[in-house]
Amino acid sequence: MTNALRSYFWRGLFAVIMVVAAYATFVRFYYGLGASTNLSDQFPWGIWVGFDVLCGVGLAAGGFTLAAIVHIFNLKSYHAVVRPAILTAFLGYLLVTVALMFDLGRPYRVWHPLIMWNPRSVMFEVGWCVTLYTSVLFLEFLPMVLEKLGLVKAHRILKNVMLPIIILGVILSTLHQSSLGSVFLILPTKLHPLWYSPLLPVLFYVSAIATGLAMTIFESWHSAKAFGRQLEFPLVQRMTRVLAVVIAVYLTMRFLDLYHRGALATLNNPGWERWLFGLEIVLMGVPMLMFFRERTRENPQAIYVGTVLFLLGFVTHRLNVSVTGLEASSGVHYVPKWTEISVTLAMVAFGFFVFRTAAHYLPVFEAEEHEPVPEVPVLEDRAYAHSLARGD
Amino acid sequence: MSKAILYDSTLCVGCRQCEEACSTRWKLPYNEKIAAEEKISSHKLTTIRTFGEKFSRKLCMHCQDPACASVCPVAALQKTAAGPVVYDEDRCMGCRYCMVACPFQVPTYEWEARLPKVRKCDMCSDRVPGGGVTRCSEACGYGATITGNRDELIAEARKRIAEKPKEYHPKIYGVEEVGGTSVLVLSSVPFEQIGYNTKVIKSALPALTWNALQHVPDVVVMGSVLMGGIHWISHRKEAVARKEGRS
Ligand code: SF4
Ligand code: SF4
């Protein structure tokens, strides 16, 4: 009964979000950016860029992180989560593209960078990488569809060319995940010193890897709930440990950078930047400390809480770099309009919805890839994974 | 020979003839209400700003190495050899990165339009490259805004400062700012007092991006080698097993 009620609640909420977003979409495309956003000449980028694009791409980083872990580093025990990660990434990039359509003043020209080149522009490079990588993700996602349709032959052909595709995907991701940070390198005096750094590309890259792992944990938890599937718990525990280390590396780099640039002194300045900075660091630091403790790693609930905290910290950092950190120099105060919030919410809700639907109908969580040849190695694989899981 | 504008704020009387001439050139409406808006926008590409008894003028600085042109993903903004930084609206997709990147908050957007364009001063690129002067220079009855060759204007500005050191702040705004601009400004007081951003860095901004972006080809090559190598090592066991199984 309660389950049914809860399900009605979520469905109702989803419907409301979508209806409001439909109206917001109308406002956006009929009346223009002025009517649908609180953007201005002084503040030309808001949450559609800061959240939908910058965070969206980061949240979809699990695709390349796990593809690399499993297919390049050959850590087989991670196999069970590589598909959900690729699915999330593929959906994530599609959503980012949709969100971009809202933000671009002339969305029908989104393809212009493909033929009108400016190799000095980071945005040009990001545009190319994202386009190519979305195609790569499509190819990485295709086996799930082929498998569902039982197209064994096509599946096998695709498998043979998968390695270069995966390497290409990792390289393209490395490039644009870091380049999203480079976007802000041109703002040495506009972006607050707590966030401006020549290391931005590296910080964006490392935080994207952490977020890729965190999103994978997040999904494992949700799919376990949704599909009554046994949580790959030993695997989640292992990912939690890796995540803790990646966050530690990130935060160390972040503080060394602040220290070397002398930016920590600006914490004495009044203003809300220091509080936002504090929030960001706490939201990343607390889950890191949690994950280093064995007690947390034994408790799925605690892992989930820590993961959500970290994801919020990641979002805070990206919004600080792209929105709030630019306010002081802009001379205006930006608060997103309802239309902006509504579209952003719809993107998130839609992402959840499509992911669940896809996970329901496609072999995302089920068995490993159907090796059409022998059965033995698969068994061995399982045994290996189990022994690893137990040994850990 | 690159052209430039010299704006001598000590000569400016705030008559706003330059504003009006600019609006006429762009076929934009101009009236008292618009004159009173002391900020640039998509319907006012240059403005006079009042600071007590003093005036200053805001317009695109036509940077020597402009941030806006370097960031534009479709090369809709270009620095021309003659000096003006020009905009090709047929390329622009409206990402507004140019607006974010400009250190002087110059490019503006037609927020109310359904298919908006970026708007900014183009230093009368229809006239200046051919040796003409800008509408604002032409309209100024006090010699506060003049068009000329950049080096000659710098020399002229230096001369004015040297001749009347008491009346001028010793610096010329635009010689060093962001690596140099094609709009030069003279003032009687430090520039920040009449609304100019003196915090901008003294070298060209696009270099900051290039520091990172130049590594892209290396990342591709190194990444392929590294990952191919890791794959080779990490899949050794299977490769060996497969071989032994087969033979
Ligand atoms: S002042 Fe701004 S808009 Fe004008 S050329 Fe420089 S960067 Fe571009
Ligand atoms: S808004 Fe237009 S001109 Fe400005 S950077 Fe984007 S594409 Fe280029």
Side-chain angles (χ1 to χ4, degrees):
Chain A
M1 197 59 214
T2 39
N3 259 350
L5 267 182
R6 206 186 294 154
S7 151
Y8 278 128
F9 171 74
W10 286 115
R11 271 178 221 185
L13 186 65
F14 180 74
V16 171
I17 290 177
M18 285 303 151
V19 170
V20 177
Y23 181 59
T25 306
F26 167 73
V27 175
R28 158 66 188 91
F29 289 103
Y30 195 78
Y31 295 105
L33 283 165
S36 54
T37 68
N38 277 341
L39 300 176
S40 60
D41 291 336
Q42 289 72 40
F43 215 83
W45 280 355
I47 57 167
W48 285 349
V49 171
F51 184 83
D52 301 22
V53 176
L54 282 179
C55 294
V57 171
L59 293 170
F64 93 90
T65 311
L66 279 138
I69 290 180
V70 171
H71 296 293
I72 310 286
F73 287 89
N74 201 17
L75 300 176
K76 291 210 183 66
S77 53
Y78 288 81
H79 212 147
V81 285
V82 74
R83 283 193 164 183
I86 284 173
L87 178 63
T88 321
F90 186 50
L91 294 176
Y93 278 84
L94 292 181
L95 284 175
V96 165
T97 312
V98 174
L100 196 61
M101 297 298 161
F102 279 82
D103 190 71
L104 288 183
R106 301 211 179 199
Y108 61 95
R109 289 179 175 171
V110 66
W111 52 275
H112 273 195
L114 299 184
I115 58 154
M116 301 173 185
W117 288 29
N118 178 13
R120 288 213 301 167
S121 162
V122 185
M123 185 92 77
F124 165 78
E125 189 238 298
V126 170
W128 264 93
C129 282
V130 168
T131 310
L132 291 175
Y133 184 56
T134 309
S135 322
V136 164
L137 277 170
F138 173 71
L139 292 176
E140 291 181 359
F141 161 80
L142 204 54
M144 300 181 217
V145 182
L146 297 178
E147 211 171 279
K148 175 79 184 173
L149 301 176
L151 298 171
V152 182
K153 203 162 160 211
H155 189 189
R156 198 171 324 144
I157 295 173
L158 196 57
K159 263 198 94 166
N160 287 335
V161 292
M162 219 21 138
L163 179 64
I165 293 178
I166 283 167
I167 292 185
L168 181 66
V170 177
I171 290 174
L172 289 170
S173 294
T174 305
L175 290 179
H176 72 266
Q177 292 287 0
S178 55
S179 289
L180 284 180
S182 308
V183 162
F184 299 91
L185 289 177
I186 198 106
L187 308 172
T189 47
K190 284 179 134 184
L191 183 56
H192 192 280
L194 285 171
W195 294 287
Y196 182 84
S197 156
L199 276 189
L200 271 171
V202 187
L203 290 169
F204 266 54
Y205 183 57
V206 178
S207 62
I209 293 177
T211 303
L213 288 166
M215 275 301 278
T216 312
I217 298 173
F218 181 79
E219 279 149 26
S220 302
W221 197 86
H222 273 274
S223 56
K225 286 229 120 180
F227 306 115
R229 201 178 113 265
Q230 198 49 49
L231 194 66
E232 313 275 349
F233 197 56
L235 175 53
V236 168
Q237 286 180 311
R238 210 163 24 241
M239 283 199 285
T240 313
R241 222 180 288 178
V242 180
L243 178 55
V245 174
V246 182
I247 304 176
V249 169
Y250 170 84
L251 284 178
T252 311
M253 201 153 61
R254 182 96 166 85
F255 273 99
L256 282 177
D257 169 60
L258 287 167
Y259 171 73
H260 289 309
R261 288 187 296 107
L264 286 170
T266 63
L267 288 175
N268 293 322
N269 300 350
W272 52 322
E273 280 86 2
R274 53 179 171 179
W275 301 112
L276 285 169
F277 171 77
L279 180 68
E280 169 194 322
I281 297 300
V282 168
L283 284 173
M284 290 194 179
V286 167
M288 176 192 74
L289 295 175
M290 282 171 72
F291 294 153
F292 272 124
R293 295 185 63 206
E294 181 126 31
R295 280 255 294 285
T296 313
R297 279 182 278 117
E298 273 161 8
N299 179 351
Q301 211 81 27
I303 290 183
Y304 181 72
V305 170
T307 307
V308 171
L309 285 181
F310 171 75
L311 289 173
L312 290 174
F314 164 81
V315 168
T316 313
H317 176 243
R318 297 239 159 159
L319 287 178
N320 279 340
V321 171
S322 57
V323 179
T324 40
L326 287 165
E327 273 208 9
S329 68
S330 76
V332 295
H333 183 51
Y334 161 80
V335 182
K337 212 175 195 151
W338 71 266
T339 21
E340 294 177 78
I341 296 172
S342 151
V343 168
T344 298
L345 269 181
M347 294 295 155
V348 176
F350 196 66
F352 265 98
F353 169 74
V354 181
F355 181 83
R356 282 191 67 152
T357 314
H360 196 80
Y361 290 105
L362 294 172
V364 174
F365 287 109
E366 280 110 319
E368 330 286 72
E369 289 154 48
H370 289 291
E371 195 77 52
V373 218
E375 284 229 328
V376 193
V378 180
L379 280 176
E380 257 179 25
D381 242 45
R382 293 251 169 85
Y384 172 63
H386 276 274
S387 72
L388 252 188
R390 248 179 284 118
D392 241 36
Chain B
M1 190 58 76
S2 135
K3 299 284 178 183
I5 292 174
L6 174 63
Y7 169 69
D8 186 338
S9 69
T10 67
L11 301 177
C12 177
V13 297
C15 68
R16 299 180 189 272
Q17 288 298 315
C18 50
E19 289 184 1
E20 186 162 8
C22 182
S23 293
T24 311
R25 174 234 196 296
W26 291 99
K27 301 194 179 63
L28 291 166
Y30 191 77
N31 52 40
E32 262 173 40
K33 200 169 134 261
I34 292 172
E37 291 169 12
E38 292 207 342
K39 63 174 199 174
I40 55 172
S41 64
S42 57
H43 62 261
K44 187 173 185 184
L45 307 192
T46 182
T47 187
I48 292 293
R49 297 205 283 170
T50 318
F51 292 85
E53 305 274 86
K54 299 188 165 45
F55 300 100
S56 78
R57 222 190 122 189
K58 180 159 182 173
L59 69 164
C60 172
M61 300 295 290
H62 297 277
C63 310
Q64 301 283 76
D65 189 356
C68 62
S70 87
V71 300
C72 176
V74 293
L77 290 154
Q78 301 268 6
K79 174 80 179 176
T80 56
V85 175
V86 296
Y87 169 68
D88 178 354
E89 61 173 75
D90 293 328
R91 287 178 163 246
C92 174
M93 59 180 191
C95 68
R96 312 187 298 285
Y97 193 9
C98 51
M99 305 173 65
V100 174
C102 170
F104 305 106
Q105 274 192 353
V106 164
T108 58
Y109 209 51
E110 296 176 332
W111 295 102
E112 306 313 321
R114 204 173 291 165
L115 292 177
K117 296 189 287 285
V118 168
R119 280 282 168 103
K120 75 168 199 67
C121 153
D122 76 338
M123 206 198 237
C124 293
S125 61
D126 57 334
R127 288 182 169 187
V128 169
V133 302
T134 63
R135 268 73 167 187
C136 53
S137 304
E138 190 178 73
C140 182
Y142 299 85
T145 297
I146 55 174
T147 308
N149 291 331
R150 187 169 185 267
D151 11 355
E152 286 166 28
L153 288 182
I154 292 176
E156 167 68 20
R158 292 220 169 98
K159 204 174 100 210
R160 290 186 196 177
I161 294 172
E163 277 169 6
K164 296 180 183 163
K166 288 227 175 64
E167 282 169 39
Y168 284 101
H169 178 65
K171 284 239 150 66
I172 310 167
Y173 191 82
V175 172
E176 287 184 328
E177 280 67 22
V178 295
T181 62
S182 299
V183 171
L184 307 160
V185 182
L186 286 173
S187 164
S188 57
V189 292
F191 292 102
E192 59 275 11
Q193 292 180 20
I194 54 169
Y196 291 99
N197 183 349
T198 48
K199 292 202 188 108
V200 293
I201 64 168
K202 300 282 190 258
S203 58
L205 288 161
L208 296 171
T209 310
W210 192 243
N211 280 344
L213 208 55
Q214 65 183 350
H215 298 301
V216 165
D218 292 1
V219 171
V220 174
V221 177
M222 275 306 298
S224 314
V225 173
L226 190 64
M227 269 180 299
I230 293 174
H231 182 271
W232 183 69
I233 294 173
S234 68
H235 287 74
R236 256 321 264 165
K237 251 208 299 213
E238 278 99 325
V240 172
R242 217 180 303 138
K243 223 187 215 160
E244 283 172 354
R246 223 181 273 151
S247 57

